[in-house]
Amino acid sequence: MRSTSSHWTIRKTIGLAGVAALLFCGPQASVAAQQPSVPAWLSAHVGFGPGQIAWPVLSRARALYMQRVSEGKVKNPCYFAMDATKPNDPSGEKTGGRFYVICEASQSFRAISAGHGSGRDLKGAADFSNGRECARNFGNAMDSNLTTGGSYMTSEVKTTFKGYYRASGMKDAAYVRSFLQFDGEGETANARQRAIGGHAAAKVSGICMMKNPQSPYANHDGYVPFGTLVTYAGGRSDGCTSWTPADATQVMSMTKDNPTTLYIYPESADIAAVAKAVGTHASLSQAGLYWNDDCLKEISTPKFWPKTTLEPIIVKYKQDHPPPPSKPIPICATQ
């Protein structure tokens, strides 16, 4: 599923973050001419092919970064962007990645894979779930597990013990996962409340409790969680941005005590405009709109679920479907 072009034309638009007036331009060959301030080496990465970044994603991400630098809020030489309209492609063979690490001072550009929010299917109430490859549903409601496009700043890194797993041979290792908190504004302002951030796409699954009183992570009875380490770079998250463990380590090291900006495309206005154009069978290119062709074919029509609409549905569903009583985690059979 390789895209050679995307819906595109020339227009001026203002991102919801209010960062700047941004120029949507036509054929990718003319990008540099449309935006002289973008250096030639970076313009070479603009386009719709594998490993390239679409112009609205770069222009908004770059404007956000420059704004925060001018305000003295960012000193990091690098910034991030994500195109959540592209397929999630952990192998990089189809899209070459959709999360971008851009360091203009060192003329470095890297595209890596990243997961999107899974959403949820509340049977009989609302279905705002997403497939593994393409995201149709976006939103900013609590407990929605949806990705929210817009402007973010990276913040502190938190580290949490997730459990032990069998690393090699008969040796057990503790898996400690780092979480990079995002802070947002506007529609992304509740990012901290929703615990939205970035982390490695890995977890310890199939947990049982193993006796290990010498462990610093042991509970008061001397037990620790034990399971199988599972990576899911090709999967979905609870609304956070997830990377391969190796890429997550790089991102964490770049932002530890050195915050920077992240811009995630699309915002709610982009989604509404594309949905309207699709509904009227209008040409996205003539309307000056952008969405990755491959994913648009798969999802048909994108949708944004605002928290004012979705949160009451989720709250009522929880009230109508209380969780079953929690059961104790079983003791590992090999004790």
Side-chain angles (χ1 to χ4, degrees), residues 281-304:
H281 304 287
S283 167
L284 294 193
S285 60
Q286 292 181 6
L289 304 173
Y290 165 72
W291 202 278
N292 176 269
D293 280 340
D294 292 325
C295 274
L296 191 61
K297 291 174 184 176
E298 179 174 318
I299 67 172
S300 181
T301 306
K303 182 172 182 178
F304 183 84

Side-chain angles (χ1 to χ4, degrees), residues 9-15 20-25 34 55 60 287-288:
T9 190
I10 300 176
R11 80 166 185 172
K12 285 188 178 179
T13 185
I14 297 179
L22 304 172
L23 183 63
F24 276 28
C25 66
Q34 296 288 346
W55 178 245
R60 294 186 190 181

Side-chain angles (χ1 to χ4, degrees), residues 181-250:
Q181 177 69 55
F182 296 163
D183 286 322
E185 60 182 57
E187 289 181 340
T188 67
N190 63 349
R192 183 172 289 271
Q193 183 184 9
R194 293 179 63 205
I196 295 298
H199 58 78
K203 63 181 180 180
V204 178
S205 183
I207 294 288
C208 61
M209 298 303 290
M210 178 179 68
K211 192 74 171 181
N212 187 357
Q214 290 77 35
S215 170
Y217 304 110
N219 63 16
H220 63 280
D221 293 322
Y223 284 89
V224 295
F226 177 85
T228 302
L229 183 64
V230 177
T231 58
Y232 54 95
R236 296 152 293 176
S237 70
D238 57 0
C240 293
T241 301
S242 55
W243 308 286
T244 66
D247 289 335
T249 298
Q250 181 195 34

Side-chain angles (χ1 to χ4, degrees), residues 6-8 11 24 47-48 53-57 83 85-86 100 265-266 270 274 284-285 288-293:
S6 285
H7 300 291
W8 202 242
R11 80 166 185 172
F24 276 28
F48 309 111
I53 184 171
W55 178 245
V57 184
D83 183 354
T85 76
K86 294 180 71 173
Y100 306 95
Y265 184 92
D270 303 308
V274 169
L284 294 193
S285 60
L289 304 173
Y290 165 72
W291 202 278
N292 176 269
D293 280 340

Side-chain angles (χ1 to χ4, degrees), residues 15-17 60 149-151 187 263-272 304:
L16 294 184
R60 294 186 190 181
S151 302
E187 289 181 340
Y263 180 77
I264 298 180
Y265 184 92
E267 300 182 47
S268 64
D270 303 308
I271 297 167
F304 183 84

Side-chain angles (χ1 to χ4, degrees), residues 1-310:
M1 188 172 69
R2 180 170 175 173
S3 177
T4 57
S5 65
S6 285
H7 300 291
W8 202 242
T9 190
I10 300 176
R11 80 166 185 172
K12 285 188 178 179
T13 185
I14 297 179
L16 294 184
V19 176
L22 304 172
L23 183 63
F24 276 28
C25 66
Q28 60 194 62
S30 65
V31 168
Q34 296 288 346
Q35 180 60 275
S37 63
V38 176
W41 73 267
L42 183 54
S43 294
H45 294 285
V46 177
F48 309 111
Q52 292 185 307
I53 184 171
W55 178 245
V57 184
L58 174 62
S59 58
R60 294 186 190 181
R62 194 166 187 262
L64 172 64
Y65 173 71
M66 291 182 172
Q67 179 69 24
R68 295 296 176 262
V69 169
S70 69
E71 295 169 350
K73 296 179 179 179
V74 170
K75 294 181 173 59
N76 197 310
C78 305
Y79 58 97
F80 305 132
M82 180 175 175
D83 183 354
T85 76
K86 294 180 71 173
N88 182 17
D89 177 24
S91 69
E93 295 178 357
K94 299 176 184 177
T95 67
R98 60 177 178 175
F99 188 94
Y100 306 95
V101 181
I102 305 167
C103 308
E104 295 194 21
S106 59
Q107 297 190 12
S108 172
F109 177 94
R110 187 177 178 219
I112 62 178
S113 65
H116 56 261
S118 64
R120 299 173 65 186
D121 183 2
L122 306 183
K123 303 295 185 182
D127 183 1
F128 45 96
S129 59
N130 284 317
R132 289 182 177 274
E133 193 166 58
C134 295
R136 175 183 184 268
N137 296 293
F138 298 81
N140 59 351
M142 287 289 295
D143 300 322
S144 65
N145 294 355
L146 290 173
T147 295
T148 311
S151 302
Y152 296 89
M153 284 273 294
T154 64
S155 189
E156 74 275 11
V157 175
K158 308 170 186 177
T159 301
T160 306
F161 168 69
K162 296 297 183 180
Y164 281 89
Y165 66 98
R166 190 62 42 84
S168 60
M170 296 300 292
K171 187 176 181 180
D172 298 333
Y175 180 57
V176 180
R177 193 175 76 177
S178 295
F179 174 81
L180 176 60
Q181 177 69 55
F182 296 163
D183 286 322
E185 60 182 57
E187 289 181 340
T188 67
N190 63 349
R192 183 172 289 271
Q193 183 184 9
R194 293 179 63 205
I196 295 298
H199 58 78
K203 63 181 180 180
V204 178
S205 183
I207 294 288
C208 61
M209 298 303 290
M210 178 179 68
K211 192 74 171 181
N212 187 357
Q214 290 77 35
S215 170
Y217 304 110
N219 63 16
H220 63 280
D221 293 322
Y223 284 89
V224 295
F226 177 85
T228 302
L229 183 64
V230 177
T231 58
Y232 54 95
R236 296 152 293 176
S237 70
D238 57 0
C240 293
T241 301
S242 55
W243 308 286
T244 66
D247 289 335
T249 298
Q250 181 195 34
V251 171
M252 301 291 175
S253 65
M254 293 174 63
T255 55
K256 184 175 175 59
D257 301 320
N258 195 11
T260 191
T261 57
L262 163 64
Y263 180 77
I264 298 180
Y265 184 92
E267 300 182 47
S268 64
D270 303 308
I271 297 167
V274 169
K276 181 179 179 180
V278 171
T280 59
H281 304 287
S283 167
L284 294 193
S285 60
Q286 292 181 6
L289 304 173
Y290 165 72
W291 202 278
N292 176 269
D293 280 340
D294 292 325
C295 274
L296 191 61
K297 291 174 184 176
E298 179 174 318
I299 67 172
S300 181
T301 306
K303 182 172 182 178
F304 183 84
W305 298 75
K307 63 179 182 178
T308 52
T309 299
L310 190 53

